[in-house]
Amino acid sequence: MTIQDSGFMMEDGVSCLPCTPEEQKKIVIDLRNESERNLKEGNLYFVISSRWFRKWERYVGIDADANLIGNQSSDSWHMNVTSSMVAEMPGAIDNSDIVQNGSDCNCKENEIQLRRNLMEGQDYVLVPQRVWVKLHEWYKGGPALPRKMILQGVYHRTFDVEVYPLRLNLIDSRDESQSVIWLSRKASLSELFQRVCALRGIEQNKARIWDYFNKRKHTQLSASNRSLEESNLQMDQDILLEEVDGHHSSRFGMDSTGNELALVSMEPSRSSFTIAGGPTLSNGHSSGYKSNQYPGSSLSSGLKDTDDGFDAYNTVRKGEKRGLAGLQNLGNTCFMNSALQCLVHTPPLVEYFLKDYSDEINTENPLGMHGELALAFGELLRKLWSSGQTAVAPRVFKGKLARFAPQFSGYNQHDSQELLAFLLDGLHEDLNRVKKKPYIELKDADGRPDEEVAAESWKNHKARNDSVIVDVCQGQYKSTLVCPVCNKISITFDPFMYLSLPLPSAITRTMTVTVFYGDGSGLPMPYTVSVLKNGFCKDLLLALRTACCLKTDENLLLAEVYENKIYRYLEMPLEPLASIKDDEHIVAFRIQKKGMEKTKLVIFHRWQEKSTTDYLKSGKELFGTPLITYLGEDQPSGADIETAISKVLSPFKRMHSSAKAHIGKGSDFLSDGLDELCSSSDAQSIENAEFEGALSMDLSLRLLLTDDRVMNFKSFKKDTLFEPGKILSVVMDWTDKEQGLYDASYLKDIPEVHKAGLAAKKTRQEAISLSSCLDAFLVEEPLGPDDMWYCPRCKEHRQAVKKLDLWMLPEIIVFHLKRFTYGRYLKNKIDTFVNFPIHNLDLSKYVKNKDGQSYVYELYAISNHYGGLGGGHYTAYAKLIDENRWYHFDDSHVSPVNESDIKTSAAYLLFYKRVNESKMEIGESSYSHSTS
């Protein structure tokens, strides 16, 4: 797109901005809000490097953690503007770190491609077209990376920007040449035909295009309005072009002798196993299958396409092991593969889906997917249990997933637990035996026995929800809420499908804060304290008060230091500690309570060049930690400022330099101060004996008034008077003299909040048990301020105390270890090793309902996650029941693994099956009746 020049240029090619930072911020916020009010398919957004965008946010004064990156609402965006942010103006827009060709931005726009596996927020941000136009007008640079907004989903329509369009590798059978085509996954097959024919110079009526996934002909594509996504075309896959006029003979689909190979037909043979488990008819439908389709849908659509690497030639051979088929990675789909392998190795689900479940498919449930998800999952499970050790490409299943759960569409990495939750819920609704859910009015417990209330709650739940998933995977827990004001007790019994367990090591975090003395009475000291991760700044202040032995007449002022400036003050007691990242630098200043109502003085430090005599020159480099103190006088003067700075610096004096201190001649260099801060200073002169005394002990200081961004500078005199109660910012230029007098090392290299390297070592040494995670899940705790409970007695929302107890456990229980923490500001992964039992997990002591049942469980599957948040890699361990042996499922690759090796710090989801009453080992169960 063409963007007009603004006409204002600086030496580096960046526009000489006609707008102030505040004006830029307002313009962008307004344009962003306008764009959000007018969302529609086809809207253009632009990808911008997060690295550059964060510099711009700091420059205009936007909290980088509550910004456009996090997709916060405009209200929260306004609320998190920090007036004390300081930053330099960013240079030209630079996207070189997120494009594949790096800094080479001279190629055509449509040839510039993003690097793979980028994460929104971490690597890039998306801005509306009009925001991009403004930013480019102000700053130039690029390259421009436009992306279109698409509409996704069937029943839950959502807007999404397609950051990564579909990349197809076109193979021309006429000359075996290859070329790349980029198209939206929402583009139609007609658009694909037009693009291919134009690119290869062939008439459309002579072109035949094949879905050539895995270098095999699957389906002949026809020009239609069917989208590429609906046609199950995947990122980076091949498509094959053939000319059908008879002049060109394709060698594709022939063996080495030139004989034609059998191709997968457009209406291919299905497996010998059908939904009904009966014989397959010639059209691929079982005689036992009951079609009850709703208008506009095709229940059998997912069953006709066996392009997943399974066909009649891949059925299990006699004596070949079943259940050892891998799943091909279709582009960051290892999260899906991992969760699927755990589910398809869940014994009761295997037994169910290998039998006839057609009578239980619910096509009328408005909460379900009209049976399509259950059919797609069932067909995939059959292929995995029928194809020996041949890997299956779950293209059809992924297509259904994208159709009904657009949050999992595209080619980004996702969370296997979130997928599992969707699948269990979706399968339940698709297989719900209740066709019409009755209305049930819930009753209060009213002091009735728990057994009565629990049984009534479960009966009501089953009246509306009755499926194999409920039979196998759902349990019940007791939830108790107590009002802290009137002591009203509310007891409910609710179903659960899995348990998300916090890691005890994840509940707290250690934070290091460097404490400075605001009155100069001591040297700075770092303190490391332990606080709750989901705590607030008030908790950190409380821990610091104890650690540094704060006096009763003192307060602590918390601040973040960034690029040698005060980036923000942490003055709100309920500011979440999650807003403080581990790699940040946090300082605290000990201040006398009685002085905090006076004028605050912020002192910045710069290196003063030896040859520089122009004190107003601003090109010098800042260093060290800014210092903060308060001026005690009602109307402070320039002399008071110099006195206060000398006092604050006194602890940094070198021992050998005190005898060399002398009064310099620079005490009269000060001129008029900043107009907005100074009052008529030239009208009076103040003689300050204390100030003169301080100068007799110290060198004169080279001081300039500045703003909180350290961008503008003005001189001032000793007798300059300042308006009381204001925040004064001063920059001190250091020369060799100051360096000889003071030890500046105390101002440098303050420690980070938390050193990641040390944490990693500690994590490896620590080991927590699954039972301790379960204890943490069941601990009594107050609700958060954002999760208040409405007390029916008080008629108000209260921060009630909540207690969970397990009441009834299901046959299959899934433990989700909460390794990922998603705060408003902080995203992190916990690699702590959790020691979990493989055999004889006895949960009886946790079950409050003493019904005499056995609650002993055996582990049969694990979903593992390796690496960091938003990326990394998922695998699965699963126990092959017939063999009583464990296997490692790593996408397409399947290999045996020793039971002793399956317990790792990568364990994320743990799947347990209850041992039956006779204490039968899990390995004794079998599927001997299943397909063969």
Side-chain angles (χ1 to χ4, degrees):
M1 62 183 295
T2 303
I3 301 176
Q4 296 294 325
D5 249 341
S6 65
F8 299 89
M9 299 297 294
M10 295 174 63
E11 292 179 1
D12 60 356
V14 178
S15 301
C16 182
L17 304 181
C19 300
T20 65
E22 290 75 17
E23 290 171 335
Q24 289 185 47
K25 177 179 65 184
K26 184 180 186 307
I27 289 172
V28 169
I29 290 176
D30 290 345
L31 291 176
R32 172 181 174 267
N33 291 340
E34 181 182 347
S35 174
E36 287 182 347
R37 290 192 296 268
N38 296 282
L39 294 178
K40 64 176 182 291
E41 199 170 10
N43 281 0
L44 210 57
Y45 280 72
F46 282 75
V47 183
I48 299 180
S49 165
S50 288
R51 185 177 64 179
W52 183 89
F53 196 74
R54 288 196 181 102
K55 292 179 182 177
W56 175 80
E57 286 182 316
R58 294 188 190 110
Y59 174 62
V60 301
I62 295 174
D63 186 339
D65 289 315
N67 50 17
L68 289 172
I69 294 176
N71 297 318
Q72 299 292 327
S73 67
S74 57
D75 290 339
S76 64
W77 212 41
H78 284 292
M79 290 169 57
N80 286 276
V81 173
T82 305
S83 59
S84 59
M85 292 184 183
V86 287
E88 304 294 335
M89 185 177 75
I93 298 172
D94 183 8
N95 287 333
S96 60
D97 62 318
I98 60 173
V99 296
Q100 286 185 348
N101 20 5
S103 59
D104 180 14
C105 298
N106 297 320
C107 53
K108 296 179 181 179
E109 184 177 288
N110 60 0
E111 295 176 354
I112 302 174
Q113 299 302 330
L114 287 174
R115 284 171 39 215
R116 293 293 181 92
N117 302 322
L118 298 180
M119 289 181 61
E120 184 176 0
Q122 177 176 306
D123 302 303
Y124 69 87
V125 298
L126 293 167
V127 299
Q129 181 177 10
R130 294 183 65 188
V131 172
W132 166 262
V133 169
K134 278 297 178 185
L135 291 174
H136 193 271
E137 176 185 316
W138 294 330
Y139 295 98
K140 306 303 178 195
L145 300 168
R147 296 293 186 269
K148 286 186 178 180
M149 177 167 278
I150 58 177
L151 189 58
Q152 299 199 100
V154 177
Y155 310 109
H156 306 286
R157 308 284 272 172
T158 59
F159 287 107
D160 191 22
V161 177
E162 189 176 25
V163 176
Y164 290 99
L166 190 63
R167 180 188 182 277
L168 299 173
N169 183 39
L170 172 64
I171 301 176
D172 192 333
S173 64
R174 298 173 298 177
D175 56 9
E176 299 186 24
S177 62
Q178 297 190 25
S179 49
V180 173
I181 292 179
W182 296 87
L183 275 174
S184 169
R185 59 180 181 269
K186 295 296 182 181
S188 67
L189 290 176
S190 293
E191 293 176 71
L192 175 63
F193 267 80
Q194 293 169 10
R195 182 73 66 86
V196 169
C197 293
L199 180 64
R200 301 305 300 165
I202 183 174
E203 295 179 25
Q204 189 164 324
N205 60 356
K206 296 182 179 180
R208 182 164 61 189
I209 301 178
W210 288 87
D211 175 355
Y212 202 53
F213 184 77
N214 281 348
K215 293 290 192 295
R216 292 176 56 226
K217 287 183 179 179
H218 292 277
T219 305
Q220 182 179 326
L221 305 176
S222 59
S224 67
N225 290 328
R226 184 181 176 90
S227 71
L228 306 185
E229 185 175 54
E230 291 170 331
S231 304
N232 296 320
L233 298 181
Q234 303 297 317
M235 179 71 81
D236 298 324
Q237 81 154 74
D238 295 324
I239 55 175
L240 178 65
L241 171 64
E242 293 180 337
E243 191 170 12
V244 295
D245 62 358
H247 297 297
H248 296 277
S249 177
S250 170
R251 292 194 294 112
F252 291 81
M254 296 184 178
D255 63 17
S256 58
T257 65
N259 296 320
E260 290 191 6
L261 297 175
L263 302 177
V264 178
S265 63
M266 294 182 64
E267 194 71 40
S269 301
R270 290 195 44 228
S271 68
S272 57
F273 311 106
T274 65
I275 293 178
T280 304
L281 303 182
S282 59
N283 65 358
H285 292 279
S286 165
S287 58
Y289 176 68
K290 298 181 180 179
S291 176
N292 189 10
Q293 301 179 18
Y294 63 97
S297 74
S298 174
L299 285 176
S300 60
S301 60
L303 305 179
K304 291 180 181 178
D305 188 354
T306 55
D307 61 359
D308 292 354
F310 170 82
D311 55 32
Y313 300 98
N314 285 334
T315 54
V316 61
R317 299 178 182 85
K318 187 175 182 180
E320 191 173 15
K321 296 177 182 178
R322 292 173 293 107
L324 293 181
L327 285 165
Q328 188 170 339
N329 194 315
L330 304 177
N332 279 332
T333 56
C334 57
F335 76 97
M336 180 181 77
N337 295 347
S338 174
L340 284 173
Q341 290 290 8
C342 293
L343 280 182
V344 302
H345 286 86
T346 296
L349 294 186
V350 175
E351 183 175 353
Y352 178 87
F353 281 101
L354 289 181
K355 287 182 177 180
D356 179 4
Y357 60 96
S358 59
D359 286 339
E360 297 196 343
I361 295 175
N362 190 334
T363 62
E364 302 170 4
N365 187 353
L367 298 179
M369 274 61 76
H370 299 276
E372 292 190 51
L373 182 67
L375 287 170
F377 176 80
E379 184 69 8
L380 179 60
L381 182 145
R382 289 163 181 270
K383 291 174 184 176
L384 289 171
W385 278 90
S386 305
S387 63
Q389 293 181 263
T390 302
V392 173
R395 293 202 296 165
V396 173
F397 182 83
K398 185 178 184 298
K400 294 294 182 185
L401 198 60
R403 177 176 164 85
F404 296 112
Q407 66 268 32
F408 299 115
S409 64
Y411 303 96
N412 290 331
Q413 184 69 278
H414 295 283
D415 190 326
S416 67
Q417 185 273 330
E418 292 177 1
L419 176 69
L420 176 72
F422 168 78
L423 285 179
L424 289 176
D425 187 61
L427 289 173
H428 156 64
E429 297 294 357
D430 268 5
L431 298 169
N432 197 345
R433 301 172 187 119
V434 179
K435 305 305 184 200
K436 188 174 181 180
K437 298 187 178 184
Y439 171 77
I440 298 174
E441 188 172 347
L442 300 179
K443 299 179 183 178
D444 217 2
D446 287 334
R448 292 181 291 163
D450 284 348
E451 291 78 10
E452 179 184 336
V453 180
E456 179 184 88
S457 298
W458 188 251
K459 179 182 177 182
N460 292 340
H461 175 65
K462 287 278 285 185
R464 295 172 54 86
N465 303 275
D466 185 17
S467 70
V468 65
I469 302 300
V470 175
D471 296 343
V472 170
C473 301
Q474 287 195 359
Q476 189 182 38
Y477 62 76
K478 174 185 175 182
S479 175
T480 305
L481 290 170
V482 180
C483 177
V485 177
C486 70
N487 291 322
K488 164 70 176 175
I489 299 176
S490 173
I491 296 176
T492 59
F493 289 84
D494 303 300
F496 67 86
M497 203 126 52
Y498 52 86
L499 297 177
S500 292
L501 307 184
L503 275 62
S505 62
I507 296 175
T508 61
R509 65 185 289 203
T510 57
M511 303 181 71
T512 300
V513 177
T514 304
V515 178
F516 287 80
Y517 286 83
D519 60 0
S521 60
L523 287 169
M525 178 71 69
Y527 293 92
T528 300
V529 295
S530 180
V531 292
L532 289 173
K533 276 192 173 181
N534 60 351
F536 304 95
C537 280
K538 65 177 183 179
D539 303 314
L540 175 59
L541 286 170
L542 185 63
L544 285 173
R545 290 179 72 94
T546 304
C548 70
C549 301
L550 198 72
K551 299 176 182 177
T552 55
D553 61 346
E554 290 180 311
N555 266 343
L556 287 174
L557 176 62
L558 279 176
E560 179 188 348
V561 176
Y562 179 77
E563 293 184 345
N564 311 113
K565 303 171 189 175
I566 300 295
Y567 182 76
R568 57 172 172 159
Y569 293 101
L570 298 163
E571 296 178 298
M572 299 298 292
L574 294 181
E575 173 83 11
L577 290 180
S579 69
I580 303 175
K581 295 187 175 66
D582 286 347
D583 60 352
E584 292 175 346
H585 298 86
I586 303 298
V587 295
F589 298 94
R590 299 178 67 143
I591 305 293
Q592 293 289 323
K593 289 181 180 179
K594 62 181 181 181
M596 294 188 75
E597 297 179 357
K598 302 292 185 178
T599 302
K600 182 192 291 185
L601 177 65
V602 184
I603 307 148
F604 301 98
H605 312 280
R606 294 192 307 182
W607 294 117
Q608 171 68 44
E609 299 173 7
K610 295 180 182 179
S611 60
T612 300
T613 58
D614 180 6
Y615 300 121
L616 296 179
K617 185 175 179 181
S618 60
K620 308 175 202 64
E621 183 179 356
L622 291 173
F623 79 95
T625 304
L627 299 175
I628 294 178
T629 188
Y630 282 81
L631 302 175
E633 295 72 16
D634 291 335
Q635 188 167 25
S637 66
D640 297 327
I641 290 176
E642 193 163 20
T643 300
I645 293 176
S646 298
K647 187 176 180 181
V648 171
L649 289 176
S650 60
F652 306 107
K653 278 186 179 178
R654 300 182 188 275
M655 295 297 294
H656 68 277
S657 59
S658 58
K660 300 179 182 178
H662 63 279
I663 300 176
K665 299 179 181 181
S667 57
D668 291 327
F669 79 88
L670 306 171
S671 63
D672 290 338
L674 294 175
D675 297 336
E676 66 271 21
L677 295 175
C678 306
S679 57
S680 332
S681 55
D682 294 335
Q684 53 183 310
S685 175
I686 298 177
E687 295 296 330
N688 191 315
E690 185 180 355
F691 170 68
E692 298 297 342
L695 282 182
S696 67
M697 295 300 294
D698 286 301
L699 301 173
S700 339
L701 305 177
R702 301 168 182 257
L703 304 174
L704 292 171
L705 280 177
T706 186
D707 52 26
D708 58 359
R709 301 174 185 277
V710 198
M711 298 288 288
N712 303 299
F713 306 91
K714 285 194 177 182
S715 58
F716 63 96
K717 293 182 179 180
K718 287 165 48 178
D719 58 358
T720 301
L721 296 180
F722 299 94
E723 188 177 344
K726 297 285 186 178
I727 298 177
L728 294 175
S729 297
V730 175
V731 64
M732 173 180 169
D733 284 329
W734 288 60
T735 66
D736 287 345
K737 294 179 181 178
E738 282 78 22
Q739 291 239 45
L741 181 61
Y742 299 106
D743 187 351
S745 64
Y746 290 104
L747 299 172
K748 305 176 189 176
D749 303 325
I750 60 175
E752 297 176 352
V753 169
H754 187 72
K755 202 68 176 177
L758 298 176
K761 293 179 181 178
K762 186 178 180 182
T763 297
R764 284 191 291 270
Q765 294 170 358
E766 289 182 348
I768 60 177
S769 66
L770 182 63
S771 61
S772 65
C773 296
L774 197 51
D775 291 336
F777 172 74
L778 298 173
V779 73
E780 181 180 276
E781 61 180 358
L783 297 176
D786 297 328
D787 191 25
M788 305 280 272
W789 171 66
Y790 182 79
C791 176
R793 183 180 294 170
C794 296
K795 307 297 183 184
E796 289 186 30
H797 285 89
R798 301 295 190 190
Q799 194 169 2
V801 175
K802 184 175 184 178
K803 175 72 170 71
L804 292 178
D805 292 297
L806 300 180
W807 186 259
M808 180 177 66
L809 299 185
E811 178 183 356
I812 298 295
I813 189 166
V814 181
F815 292 111
H816 164 221
L817 303 179
K818 296 174 69 173
R819 295 194 179 277
F820 300 125
T821 56
Y822 300 91
R824 179 178 175 185
Y825 302 90
L826 184 68
K827 296 180 180 180
N828 194 23
K829 186 195 172 187
I830 305 156
D831 286 314
T832 304
F833 174 73
V834 177
N835 190 12
F836 50 89
I838 299 175
H839 304 284
N840 300 317
L841 171 63
D842 191 351
L843 298 177
S844 302
K845 68 175 182 178
Y846 294 103
V847 181
K848 295 300 180 180
N849 179 24
K850 303 304 180 184
D851 56 2
Q853 287 195 45
S854 168
Y855 290 105
V856 178
Y857 288 81
E858 300 278 327
L859 185 72
Y860 70 89
I862 306 172
S863 175
N864 302 301
H865 180 270
Y866 301 89
L869 182 71
H873 184 57
Y874 286 92
T875 68
Y877 291 126
K879 190 173 187 179
L880 200 61
I881 306 301
D882 288 340
E883 290 188 43
N884 195 28
R885 185 171 184 181
W886 286 87
Y887 285 87
H888 184 213
F889 294 83
D890 185 357
D891 289 332
S892 300
H893 183 69
V894 181
S895 58
V897 61
N898 292 327
E899 186 175 88
S900 58
D901 295 330
I902 66 172
K903 294 168 69 169
T904 72
S905 60
Y908 183 45
L909 300 175
L910 303 174
F911 292 73
Y912 283 89
K913 183 182 184 300
R914 187 165 61 197
V915 178
N916 68 11
E917 297 294 338
S918 62
K919 305 293 183 181
M920 180 188 70
E921 291 295 326
I922 191 172
E924 294 176 18
S925 171
S926 104
Y927 312 133
S928 56
H929 63 277
S930 62
T931 62
S932 59

